[in-house]
Amino acid sequence: MLLEPYMKIEVTCPEEVMGTVIGDLNNRRGHIAGMDAKGRAQVIMATLPTSETLNYSAFLSSARSESVV
């Protein structure tokens, strides 16, 4: 049996891109643990395979810039 390391992450994002972020976490084999509202932002708590986190910050930057336009 081969075990894969997972990380607990918290993603804070605007409400407008919350669906995009959750969809991407699911595509990366992540498991959503919960969500909280923090003002107008949403905090998504999830576990994600470590191998899927390597370029995740680039995705978040592009998702944020798309929501501003």
Side-chain angles (χ1 to χ4, degrees), residues 16-54:
E16 297 83 32
V17 297
M18 184 176 73
T20 304
V21 171
I22 289 174
D24 186 68
L25 286 171
N26 287 326
N27 287 340
R28 293 175 186 261
R29 301 179 293 135
H31 301 281
I32 307 299
M35 292 179 279
D36 281 330
K38 191 178 205 180
R40 289 190 40 134
Q42 295 290 323
V43 179
I44 303 167
M45 285 122 349
T47 55
L48 193 65
T50 302
S51 63
E52 299 289 343
T53 62
L54 297 176

